[in-house]
């Protein structure tokens, strides 16, 4: 349930952009998600924090069915992602996802990485795809690097190309899974700056992160997960500044 006063731009009574109901995921006997209920309003930025193994990344991967949920429902933009027979390719174009690892094709340029899905999935004209790709590279601060291969880019630059690639499909939702955790500390800021810009532009974002400063500054709401459940959620000032639950306090005492 959306926490009153937690931010987000959806009007009263409007449907959430993301609705998760009773989501469970098991790997064999190990139940990683234990009945997650979560809503994200349109234009809301929700940061998910918690210790390793708490189920944060699995939650994101279940939203677009990179992992198959064991039980529960996921609805995005009014489409039940977990329904039998749903067009997953279409669903995934509405949800951009950026991972911890950049997952760029090493044999393609920065521009080629961005335009590949545009021409093969959306069947876009190559000229139009290239135009969109150049505009997106400029948006993430990489104008002029269109012809560079990933090996010539820093980790932060590669991650910005990955963000541009996800944005190329014009998704309504962006999912970020610990996107700065593989970067050298001096490169983290340039990626977070792009994410701040997206948030300021009204992008609906669900962000798994260990960057507490970013969560405090940018999130409308912070969700703390531990052991496969949502322990508490609310505005950043509450969850990060005055957590109600002992588990939240113990986690924050180690990371802040």
């Amino acid at each position: 349930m959306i926490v009153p006063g937690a931010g987000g731009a959806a009007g009263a009574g409007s449907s959430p952009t993301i609705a998760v109901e009773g989501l469970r995921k098991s790997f064999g006997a190990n139940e990683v998600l234990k009945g997650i209920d979560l809503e994200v309003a349109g234009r809301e930025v929700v940061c998910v924090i918690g210790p390793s193994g708490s189920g944060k990344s699995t939650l994101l991967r279940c939203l677009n069915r990179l992992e198959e949920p064991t039980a529960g429902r996921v609805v995005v933009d009014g489409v039940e992602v977990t329904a039998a027979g749903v067009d997953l390719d279409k669903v995934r174009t509405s949800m951009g996802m950026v991972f911890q690892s950049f997952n760029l094709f090493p044999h393609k340029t920065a521009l080629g990485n961005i335009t590949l899905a545009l021409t093969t999935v959306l069947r876009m004209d190559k000229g139009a795809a290239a135009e969109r790709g150049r505009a997106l590279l400029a948006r993430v601060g990489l104008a002029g690097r269109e012809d560079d291969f990933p090996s010539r880019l820093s980790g932060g630059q590669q991650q910005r190309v990955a963000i541009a690639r996800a944005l190329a499909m014009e998704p309504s939702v962006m999912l970020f899974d610990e996107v700065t955790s593989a970067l050298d500390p001096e490169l983290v800021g340039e990626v977070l700056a792009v994410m701040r810009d997206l948030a300021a532009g009204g992008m609906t974002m669900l962000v798994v992160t260990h960057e507490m400063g970013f969560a405090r500054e940018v999130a409308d709401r912070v969700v703390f997960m531990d052991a496969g459940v949502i322990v508490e959620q609310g505005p950043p000032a509450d969850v990060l500044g005055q957590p109600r639950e002992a588990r939240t306090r113990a986690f924050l005492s180690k990371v802040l």
Side-chain angles (χ1 to χ4, degrees):
M1 130 177 230
I2 296 294
V3 177
S14 61
S15 298
T17 297
I18 302 173
V20 180
E21 302 172 5
L23 188 66
R24 294 180 178 273
K25 175 61 183 177
S26 296
F27 296 96
N30 181 25
E31 189 174 34
V32 177
L33 298 177
K34 303 174 182 178
I36 299 293
D37 295 311
L38 179 67
E39 292 184 356
V40 180
R43 301 172 68 89
E44 189 179 18
V45 178
V46 175
C47 284
V48 183
I49 65 171
S52 294
S54 58
K56 307 182 302 295
S57 294
T58 301
L59 170 61
L60 286 197
R61 292 174 67 86
C62 282
L63 294 186
N64 59 11
R65 284 178 56 185
L66 288 175
E67 295 289 355
E68 199 65 34
T70 304
R73 297 173 73 243
V74 175
V75 178
V76 178
D77 274 343
V79 176
E80 186 178 345
V81 177
T82 44
V86 70
D87 185 344
L88 277 179
D89 288 337
K90 185 175 181 181
V91 163
R92 286 170 179 158
T93 63
S94 70
M95 282 187 282
M97 187 161 181
V98 186
F99 302 87
Q100 176 178 334
S101 55
F102 320 127
N103 294 332
L104 298 180
F105 292 107
H107 62 288
K108 289 192 171 292
T109 63
L111 184 62
N113 268 279
I114 294 171
T115 59
L116 181 62
L118 294 177
T119 55
T120 58
V121 177
L122 298 187
R123 304 295 181 186
M124 184 179 287
D125 172 79
K126 287 185 178 180
E131 184 177 352
R132 181 182 294 185
R134 290 190 186 94
L136 285 167
L137 283 170
R139 183 176 179 181
V140 299
L142 292 174
R145 306 303 296 268
E146 293 88 352
D147 296 329
D148 285 351
F149 289 90
S151 60
R152 293 182 58 85
L153 300 173
S154 70
Q157 290 168 334
Q158 290 185 62
Q159 193 61 290
R160 284 186 279 157
V161 173
I163 293 172
R165 178 177 60 183
L167 290 172
M169 305 301 281
E170 298 185 335
S172 59
V173 171
M174 284 289 288
L175 310 175
F176 294 91
D177 187 12
E178 296 278 19
V179 296
T180 60
S181 60
L183 299 178
D184 293 333
E186 67 270 21
L187 302 178
V188 169
E190 64 192 50
V191 174
L192 294 182
V194 173
M195 294 169 67
R196 286 189 186 93
D197 179 65
L198 289 175
M203 175 64 74
T204 305
M205 295 165 57
L206 188 57
V207 183
V208 170
T209 186
H210 62 274
E211 300 288 345
M212 298 301 153
F214 175 84
R216 188 185 300 274
E217 175 190 349
V218 178
D220 296 301
R221 181 158 41 111
V222 172
V223 172
F224 173 67
M225 288 183 65
D226 190 20
V229 301
I230 292 176
V231 176
E232 70 174 290
Q233 58 181 307
D238 292 349
V239 176
L240 300 179
Q242 298 176 311
R244 301 186 309 272
E245 302 294 332
R247 277 193 282 177
T248 316
R249 292 193 294 271
F251 170 73
L252 291 174
S253 71
K254 297 174 182 177
V255 300
L256 291 180

